[in-house]
């Protein structure tokens, strides 16, 4: 970075990229130590295999701990134009359900949900 | 700047610590880990003092004076705390003062007396140790008596530079030792004795002094080391038979209480059985003992005869860099004034 | 048999490994701890000869290196098990019964906290909080975390690692 | 010492031991300080902690190298080349103190002339020290505000010893480092009272206080003071004395507290002389190798058994107190001398050492202000001309003792003896921590003996491998003058081609081998370089 | 596609979130911590650009002073003042250090930040470096946080690639480089001087102050050390302005604080609240109260340096000063909640055991004193306590607190002192009545009793008892010899009819009343 303008341009660039991404379905998985200890890695692998098998183009994002350690592992599902929904205490099996039920069919998996995130 | 200690108005210079100012003025603040040659360690906490306007006591060895400071060094609450400290040290100490060779010259013992420690209230487990270390001809190391003042470790590192000894483990398991408990010789110990000189307890003891005499029976005499040219001032500790039991130091001199192996442990030659004790005269290739009269006469006769017969320059003398100034003066005067020659030299160059 | 084995281990101590590690560092004392960490990762512990090598390289005394190695709980001067079982003793784990988990592990493996099994398979060490308090009580076996444990889970976990 | 006296007007340590700690750069050369002067080494290490730079020049990897910022490993006997190289760079890179040179010194032109050709590359060839290290060292020393040079016998015990010292003096004056606190040129004295023995005229050319015997005024002064006629002819030095015995010119020899059989070069030659001399009296505290040859041996009292003074390396006159009674019938040396003088027709009646000091103060201006009362608590550093003078912490402040400091640059001359086919190794000699000189004292200390009981000659791994020698093996070391046996230690302290022995042990007496070739001025033998052969025995 | 969002609570409705105020944690859980772009998109490095192009170092320091930010690592020293000291110290070289050696048991706030938003810490450090005049920084992080180390390493590399670290940042002429130092397992390295010793490659033993790190720190150069969360707050203060930061929190403790909620609480996790929020709000609001509907007994706040507060202190607003007054401490922000089944003597013992084994061993009071305190607590929890022990414990605690060299020792007695202050009755119960009210201390546990109404005489318990204190024959009612029972509990799970009950249960549950009466009868008899 040699100037402020350079940073501002980069910021704009990135922001528009993120906006574009928002037009796609996203899975956001908590990958802090608490999440990983609770099995987030297995969930991530399961999600990725599942997405591949179903040939779904979904952005999988990793993020840090949101604070709800008790409910880890946490996965959020965000469909374009819709509210981001957090699921918690997931097993690998649960994670697959998120894909089949919420991602593909738009049905919130009520027994796993923690909360929705209103922007 | 001016400050007050125990009600006395005192003069001090900036950068001095409370302890330094107190010592300069003859105020005795207890301390175990302090040494003027070392960076203050602040470990033993014995030198805590109260400063007016400061809530908790501070250590006098680490606190610099400031103008107008009002210090108390011996309040009832400080005494109480120091007593606890001494008890804590004694609780983890091999208390065998009745037979300890350090008794009478032991700071821990002195402070126990000063703060009236009759019974230790906090008896419990003691730090495990690996036996008394006797791995060299000069001194022993007895961790059971170590109170971890760290002076030995710091001297070894900060003054000697070798850092042959160090701490092992941490917390309650901390011990002073060598790497993997190797013998001192194997880790470059120079046997300078700095650690032994400053050990406040019986944890480091000169072997020559073990089971020889109580400290109060020893006579101390100051002397100058006869080895190299530094001129270290030393104290000979002499027993009733004029035997040198150990060599100690005090800090106000060229060597600042420091020694090397020769000065600290190598002066016992004085009492060697091998010393010459009588004049000897050689007859038919063998020496026999003689009286001073006879020996001196013989020397005088021969030197006089040769001088008279061949002139003074037929005689010569080697004076000595081991003898005193006065003796060297007399030797050259002897050769010049009595023998009439300038052929006097010594091994300055060797 | 044991002594023969030990001799054998000593003979096999390969000092070229530590020498290679040392080459990557400037000869400054600030590198001592990183060097010890890397060295321990390589040897599994810090053998005496290796520490001597480190001391000579950095130009600091052997006893100083030893002092540092014995100060930090991460460093070990004795060989350790292939699987290190870290039992979290943090507050959260403590109140949720970590001590019972530790007891169970000690009983199952027949070693004390800090000890290593004779076959060099397992080492148990109790550690301060590993920060997975939400899963208390927690143990880690090498990099795997096992949480929300009861003593009954212990044998099963050990079995996964070849017990 | 002669070198320093010539350059500055005094041969002693210019500064105090305490001042070492305040230096910004310390250059140690020809001094194995940690073993020979451990307490001074503490000050050097402290200076390092205080941020001083340390340069060590030594052919051996002595312990001090561990603390050094820079180690110059010159080949033995190439000191002048190395020093000239440093001066070359200092002149070239303009690190001179020009004002100082102009105001306080003379003969600077000679320096410029000689240094011209000693460029780092050339010097590197002679000394084996990389050219860039020479430049680095010159800058380290030259850029320091206060730079101190410490040296010992590694500099003086060469045929070029005096020139070595003259060159050191040049280096210090070039950068204005003499006459300044915490700087200076500081020869470290080997024996506890070498300084005093010199000060008090135990030298063939000067009376006490460095007053020349061939100076008419001086001669008159002493004749009057002592009430006798005095010779104005310079006497014989140690080595000349032994030559004199061989030539039958010297017939009676008085040895007080010395052991030339072990301490002097070419021991076999010394032994022959002692056999030959008509009358030999030896006065010592132990039977020594030298005393074995004596006609009469007189038992002397040790340091602990008498009053007196010693003058340490920093010129401090210190009071020595009697602590115990003399052992057996031994007597202090001064009492013995007095009795002898009186037997030879004189009338000396000193009742105490203190009275002798009063006489010294009267005849020797530099000790003019010394009295036992004044030094009871703490010593005084000479020059101390009168009883009100506080002593002198460092010399040449404002002005050199001789007025202007004199540059006496020297050319490099190789050592007198070089390795060849028959004697392919270079032997250099020195001291060990646990022993002292000829072990008269340390050899009678059981602890020191136990710790270090025999010589271990140092040899490099490369040489040892070639000869298939291992640690602890015994070897036969021979030179043109003799041969001795020694155990060896294989070590990286010495480079290939160099071996090191101490001269402490009669069984492995290094001085059987050493070369008695003398420095022409100071008459110091070349202990530090001789050619030897080594065979496994 | 239509989702069915009705009746799904939003985050703002969750107890856990509704009273939080997420500033430092704002990005955690939202951005990809391994992507510098994500951080930049969320206004990352804007504060740095502002500082380097528009502000003088003194202005930065003034802004931080103005914000009222105090050290989040525990001490609560005003950050701006600390920076001022380091700025004022003369020296050609200065260092800025991030203390990420989060070692308090039960605390993981810093880990959350380091793993979730590493760039915010970097940005805070670079700003701090600029402010005090340092061109080099160290992040000292405990080796037990491998993921955080990995993310920091990535963040540093990314920042270097983008020119946010290195030479001439934002064309300002300011240079700055950062290095990570992984700790090696020593809690005491969380103490500033111990930490610096450790970076230097020494044993991590604290040194006395003065000299303060601001004047003589790392390698004797002026150095400034702040905690992770402190640095994370810096970009916010610069970006949003000191005034808006100061609006949050209380008069003397501005801004927010992140707490780690653990223990016997419903919602464990990380929560960030405004300073001044009450403990009750955090524990019963955000934390959702006590697990399994048990009774609250105490909350341990501030780790081993802190203290245990009872229910009467639940309405205490959390800020630096009121906590200290109450005998606890903000510490780094660990909150461990204890229910009725906790033993406060055991808790004190637990913390003391921790500091005792983490003492560096340098100063006498900490090395020896904590050991003796631990021995006394061990005695008490084992039922061997004497009445004088409480007095000895107090004497030692006071001495260790007053005499220790560093913060670790000075605060080590806090858990003991605070439990003695609020729960002295529990100590007395242990000593005088041989009882552990929390039912934790093994030696003081009431033994087991067999419900004669249920017992079927199967002898399983007789077989299970390792010390043979159960009497009885097949098909006759069994009985446990209460005197000798050591409460090991081996018999309880073996009973097929749940007839074996812990003796103290009979007081609490009506179905065992018949056993109680009998007991009393015995006593009367």
């Amino acid at each position: 970075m040699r100037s402020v303008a350079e940073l501002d341009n980069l910021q704009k660039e990135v922001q528009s990229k993120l906006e574009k991404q928002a037009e796609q379905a996203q899975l956001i998985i908590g990958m802090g130590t608490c999440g990983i200890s609770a099995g987030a890695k297995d969930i991530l692998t399961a999600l990725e295999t599942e997405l591949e098998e179903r040939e779904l183009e979904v952005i999988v994002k990793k993020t840090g701990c949101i604070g709800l350690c008790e409910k880890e592992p946490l996965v959020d599902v965000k469909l374009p134009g819709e509210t981001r929904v957090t699921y918690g205490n997931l097993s690998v099996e649960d994670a697959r359900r998120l894909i089949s039920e919420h991602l593909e069919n738009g049905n919130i998996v009520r027994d796993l949900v923690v909360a929705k995130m209103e922007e | 700047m001016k400050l007050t200690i125990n009600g006395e108005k005192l003069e001090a210079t900036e950068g001095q610590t409370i302890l330094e100012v107190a010592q300069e003025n003859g105020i005795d603040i207890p301390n175990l880990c302090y040494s003027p040659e070392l960076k203050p360690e602040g470990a033993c906490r014995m030198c805590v003092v109260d400063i007016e306007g400061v809530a908790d006591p501070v250590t006098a060895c680490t606190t610099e004076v400031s103008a107008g400071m009002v210090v108390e060094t011996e309040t009832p609450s400080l005494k109480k705390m120091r007593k606890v400290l001494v008890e804590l040290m004694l609780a983890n100490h091999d208390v065998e003062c009745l037979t300890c060779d350090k008794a009478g010259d032991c700071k821990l013992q002195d402070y126990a007396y000063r703060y009236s420690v009759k019974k230790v209230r906090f008896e419990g487990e003691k730090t495990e140790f690996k036996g008394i270390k006797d791995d060299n001809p000069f001194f022993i190391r007895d961790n059971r008596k170590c109170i971890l003042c760290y002076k030995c470790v710091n001297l070894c590192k900060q003054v000697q530079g070798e850092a042959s000894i160090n701490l092992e483990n941490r917390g309650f398991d901390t011990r002073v030792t060598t790497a993997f408990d190797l013998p001192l010789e194997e880790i470059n110990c120079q046997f300078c004795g700095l650690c032994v000189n400053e050990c406040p307890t019986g944890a480091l003891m000169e072997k020559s002094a073990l089971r020889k005499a109580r400290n109060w029976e020893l006579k101390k005499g100051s002397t100058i080391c006869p080895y190299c040219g530094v001129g270290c001032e030393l104290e000979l500790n002499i027993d009733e038979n004029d035997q040198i039991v150990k060599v100690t130091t005090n800090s106000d001199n060229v060597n600042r209480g420091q020694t090397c192996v020769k000065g600290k442990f190598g002066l016992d030659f004085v009492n060697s059985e091998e010393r010459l004790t009588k004049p000897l005269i050689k007859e038919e290739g063998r020496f026999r003992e003689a009286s001073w009269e006879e020996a001196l006469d013989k020397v005088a006769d021969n030197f006089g005869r040769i001088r008279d017969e061949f002139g003074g320059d037929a005689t010569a003398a080697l004076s000595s860099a081991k003898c005193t100034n006065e003796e060297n003066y007399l030797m050259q005067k002897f050769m010049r004034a009595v023998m009439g020659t300038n052929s006097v030299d010594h091994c300055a160059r060797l | 048999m044991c002594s023969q084995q030990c001799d054998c281990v000593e003979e096999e101590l390969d000092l070229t490994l530590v020498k290679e590690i040392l080459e990557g560092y400037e000869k400054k004392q600030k590198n001592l701890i990183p060097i010890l960490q890397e060295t321990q990762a390589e040897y599994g512990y810090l053998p005496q000869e290796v520490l001597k090598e480190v001391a000579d390289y950095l130009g600091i005394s052997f006893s100083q290196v030893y002092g540092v190695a014995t100060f930090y709980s991460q460093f070990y001067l004795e060989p350790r098990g292939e699987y290190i079982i870290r039992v979290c003793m943090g507050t959260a784990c403590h109140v949720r019964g970590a001590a019972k988990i530790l007891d169970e592990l000690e009983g199952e493996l027949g070693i004390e906290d800090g000890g290593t099994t004779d076959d060099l398979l397992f080492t148990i060490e109790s550690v301060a909080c590993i920060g997975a308090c939400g899963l208390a009580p927690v143990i880690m076996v090498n990099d795997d975390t096992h949480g929300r444990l009861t003593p009954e889970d212990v044998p099963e976990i050990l079995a996964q690692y070849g017990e | 010492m002669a070198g320093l006296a010539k350059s500055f007007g005094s041969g002693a340590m210019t500064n105090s031991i305490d001042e070492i700690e305040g230096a910004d750069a310390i250059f140690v050369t020809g001094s194995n300080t940690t073993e020979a002067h451990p307490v001074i080494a503490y000050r050097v290490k402290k200076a390092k902690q205080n941020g001083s730079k340390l340069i060590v020049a030594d052919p051996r990897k002595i312990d001090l190298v561990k603390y050094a910022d820079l180690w110059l490993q010159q080949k033995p006997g190439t000191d002048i080349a190395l020093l000239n190289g440093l001066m070359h760079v200092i002149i070239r890179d303009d690190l001179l103190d020009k004002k100082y040179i102009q105001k306080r010194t003379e003969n600077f032109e000679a320096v410029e002339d000689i240094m011209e050709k000693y460029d780092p590359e050339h010097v590197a060839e002679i000394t084996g020290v990389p050219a860039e290290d020479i430049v680095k060292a010159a800058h380290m020393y030259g850029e320091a505000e206060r730079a101190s040079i410490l040296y010992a016998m590694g500099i003086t015990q060469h045929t070029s010893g005096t020139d070595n010292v003259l060159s050191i003096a040049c280096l210090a004056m070039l950068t204005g480092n003499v006459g300044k606190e915490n700087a200076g040129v500081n020869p470290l004295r080997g024996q506890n009272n070498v300084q005093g023995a010199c000060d008090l005229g135990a030298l063939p050319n000067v009376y006490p206080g460095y007053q020349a015997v061939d100076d008419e005024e001086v001669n008159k002064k002493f004749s009057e003071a002592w009430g006798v006629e005095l010779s104005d002819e310079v006497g014989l030095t140690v080595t000349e004395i032994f030559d004199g015995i061989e030539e039958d010119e010297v017939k009676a020899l008085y040895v007080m507290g010395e052991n030339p059989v072990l301490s002097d070069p070419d021991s076999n030659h010394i032994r022959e002389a002692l056999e030959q001399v008509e009358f030999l009296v030896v006065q010592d505290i132990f039977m020594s190798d030298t005393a074995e040859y004596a006609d009469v041996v007189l038992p002397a009292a040790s340091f602990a058994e008498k009053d007196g003074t010693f003058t340490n390396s920093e010129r401090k006159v210190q009071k020595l107190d009697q602590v115990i009674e003399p052992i057996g019938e031994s007597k202090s040396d001064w009492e013995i001398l007095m009795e002898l003088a009186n037997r030879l027709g004189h009338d000396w009646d000193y009742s105490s050492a203190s009275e002798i000091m009063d006489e010294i103060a009267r005849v020797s201006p530099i000790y003019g202000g010394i009295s036992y009362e004044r030094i009871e608590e703490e010593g005084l550093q000479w020059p101390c001309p009168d009883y009100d003078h506080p002593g002198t912490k460092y010399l040449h402040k404002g002005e050199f003792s001789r007025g202007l400091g004199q540059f006496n640059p020297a050319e490099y001359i190789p050592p007198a003896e070089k390795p060849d086919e028959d004697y392919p190794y270079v032997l250099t000699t020195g001291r060990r921590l646990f022993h002292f000189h000829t072990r008269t004292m340390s050899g009678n200390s059981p602890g020191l003996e136990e710790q270090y009981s025999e010589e271990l000659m140092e040899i490099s791994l490369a040489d040892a491998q070639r000869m298939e020698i291992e640690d602890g093996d015994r070897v036969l070391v021979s030179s043109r003058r003799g041969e001795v046996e020694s155990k060896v230690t294989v070590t990286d302290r010495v480079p290939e081609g160099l071996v090191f022995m101490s001269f402490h042990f009669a069984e492995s007496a290094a001085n059987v081998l050493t070369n008695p070739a003398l420095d022409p001025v100071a008459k110091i033998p070349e202990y530090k370089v001789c050619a030897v052969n080594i065979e496994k025995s | 596609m239509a989702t069915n969002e009705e009746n799904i609570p939003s985050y703002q409705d969750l107890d856990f979130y509704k009273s939080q105020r997420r500033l430092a944690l704002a990005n955690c859980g939202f951005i990809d911590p391994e992507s510098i772009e994500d951080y930049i998109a969320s206004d990352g490095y804007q504060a740095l650009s502002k500082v380097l192009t528009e502000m003088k170092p003194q202005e930065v320091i003034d802004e931080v002073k103005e914000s009222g930010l105090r050290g989040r690592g525990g001490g609560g020293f005003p950050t701006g003042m600390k920076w001022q000291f380091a700025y004022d110290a003369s020296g050609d070289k200065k260092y800025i250090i991030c203390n990420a050696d989060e070692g308090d048991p039960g605390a993981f706030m810093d880990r959350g930040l380091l793993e979730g938003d590493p760039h915010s810490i970097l940005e805070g450090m670079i700003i701090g470096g600029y402010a005090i005049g340092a061109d080099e920084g160290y992040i000292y992080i405990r080796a037990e946080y491998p993921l955080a180390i990995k993310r920091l390493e990535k963040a540093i590399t990314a920042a270097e690639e983008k020119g946010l670290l290195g030479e001439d940042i934002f064309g300002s002429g300011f240079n700055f480089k950062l290095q990570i130092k992984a700790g090696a397992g020593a809690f005491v390295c969380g103490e500033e001087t111990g930490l610096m010793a450790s970076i230097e490659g020494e044993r991590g033993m604290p040194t006395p102050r003065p000299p303060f790190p601001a004047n003589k720190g790392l390698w004797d150069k002026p150095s400034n050390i702040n905690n992770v969360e402190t640095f994370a707050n810096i970009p916010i203060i610069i970006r949003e302005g000191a005034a808006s930061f100061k609006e949050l929190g209380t008069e003397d403790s501005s801004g927010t604080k992140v707490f780690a909620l653990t223990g016997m609480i419903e919602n464990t996790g990380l929560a960030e609240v405004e300073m001044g929020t009450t403990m009750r709000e955090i524990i019963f609001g955000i934390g959702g109260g006590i697990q399994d509907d048990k009774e609250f007994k105490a909350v341990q706040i501030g780790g081993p340096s802190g203290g245990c507060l009872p229910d009467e202190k639940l309405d205490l607003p959390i800020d630096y000063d009121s906590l200290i007054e109450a005998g606890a401490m903000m510490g780094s922000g660990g909150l461990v909640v204890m229910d009725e089944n906790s033993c406060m003597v055991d808790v004190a013992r637990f913390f003391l055991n921790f500091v005792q084994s983490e003492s560096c061993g340098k100063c006498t009071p900490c090395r020896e004193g904590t050991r003796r305190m631990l021995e006394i607590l061990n005695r008490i929890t084992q039922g061997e306590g004497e009445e004088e022990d409480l007095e000895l414990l107090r004497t030692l605690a006071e001495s260790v607190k007053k005499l220790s060299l560093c913060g670790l020792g000075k605060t080590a007695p806090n858990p003991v002192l605070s439990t003695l202050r609020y729960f002295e009755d529990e100590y007395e119960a242990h000593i005088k009545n041989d009882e552990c009210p929390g039912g934790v201390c093994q030696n003081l546990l009431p033994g087991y009793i067999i419900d004669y109404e249920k017992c079927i005489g199967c002898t399983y318990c007789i077989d299970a008892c390792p010390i043979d204190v159960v009497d009885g024959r097949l098909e006759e009612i069994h009985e446990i010899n209460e005197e000798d029972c050591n409460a090991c509990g081996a018999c309880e799970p073996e009973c097929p009819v749940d007839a074996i009950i812990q003796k103290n249960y009979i007081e609490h549950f009506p179905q065992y009343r018949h056993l109680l009466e009998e007991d009393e009868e015995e006593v009367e008899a």
Side-chain angles (χ1 to χ4, degrees), chain D residues 360-374:
Chain D
I360 292 171
R362 281 196 298 277
V363 297
S364 173
I366 56 173
Y367 278 63
I370 310 285
S371 73
Y372 277 24
E373 281 126 58
R374 289 194 74 195

Side-chain angles (χ1 to χ4, degrees), chain E residues 290-399:
Chain E
I290 309 301
Q291 274 184 344
D292 304 331
D293 289 324
K294 293 203 176 156
E295 285 293 310
F296 170 89
K297 184 185 269 182
V299 56
Q300 208 282 341
I301 177 163
S305 321
C308 295
L309 302 180
D311 52 1
E312 71 247 37
K313 294 285 170 185
L314 276 175
D315 290 311
L316 196 73
I318 300 196
D319 63 59
Y320 291 102
D321 310 306
S322 42
L323 280 174
I324 286 181
E325 209 163 294
M329 195 176 166
M330 181 81 81
S332 51
L335 283 178
V336 186
V337 175
M338 280 159 275
D339 67 13
E340 58 193 293
N341 291 132
S342 308
C343 168
M344 299 317 290
V345 185
D346 181 59
V347 167
R349 193 193 61 83
F350 168 77
F351 280 105
L352 207 70
N353 185 44
F354 177 82
V355 286
Q356 197 273 142
S357 62
E358 292 293 340
S359 164
C360 79
K362 183 171 187 168
C363 71
T364 316
C366 177
R367 180 186 66 239
E368 310 289 341
T370 56
R371 175 61 160 232
R372 302 304 162 214
M373 288 171 72
L374 178 63
E375 285 171 351
I376 295 172
L377 289 170
N378 279 338
R379 281 208 294 271
I380 296 175
T381 53
Q382 282 159 14
E384 291 157 13
E386 306 278 336
E387 283 190 40
E388 311 84 79
D389 279 346
L390 288 189
E391 193 44 46
L392 285 185
L393 203 51
R394 279 203 178 87
T395 306
L396 282 170
E398 282 302 326
S399 301

Side-chain angles (χ1 to χ4, degrees), chain B residues 37 158 160 162 229-231 256 259 262 268 282 293 297 314 318 323 326 329 333 336 342 349, chain D residues 18 21 42 45-46 49 66 193 203 233 251 254 292 312-313 318 343 350 359 372 433 445 522:
Chain B
E37 287 301 303
Q158 293 176 34
Q160 172 53 258
E162 287 296 344
V230 175
R256 305 186 202 156
T259 50
K262 293 188 286 287
D268 45 355
K282 195 182 269 172
E293 284 304 313
D297 283 347
L318 298 185
C323 290
E326 292 73 7
Y329 176 80
K333 184 175 174 183
R336 289 182 165 124
N342 281 313
R349 308 170 183 86
Chain D
D18 264 347
E21 260 178 59
Y42 302 157
K45 293 167 188 172
K46 194 67 142 204
Q49 285 175 24
K66 202 160 66 181
N193 203 31
L203 293 169
E233 242 175 78
K251 296 177 186 299
Y254 193 156
E292 294 290 349
N312 77 352
S313 197
Q318 298 168 286
R343 275 178 166 70
Y350 305 106
E359 180 176 320
Y372 277 24
L433 175 64
S445 169

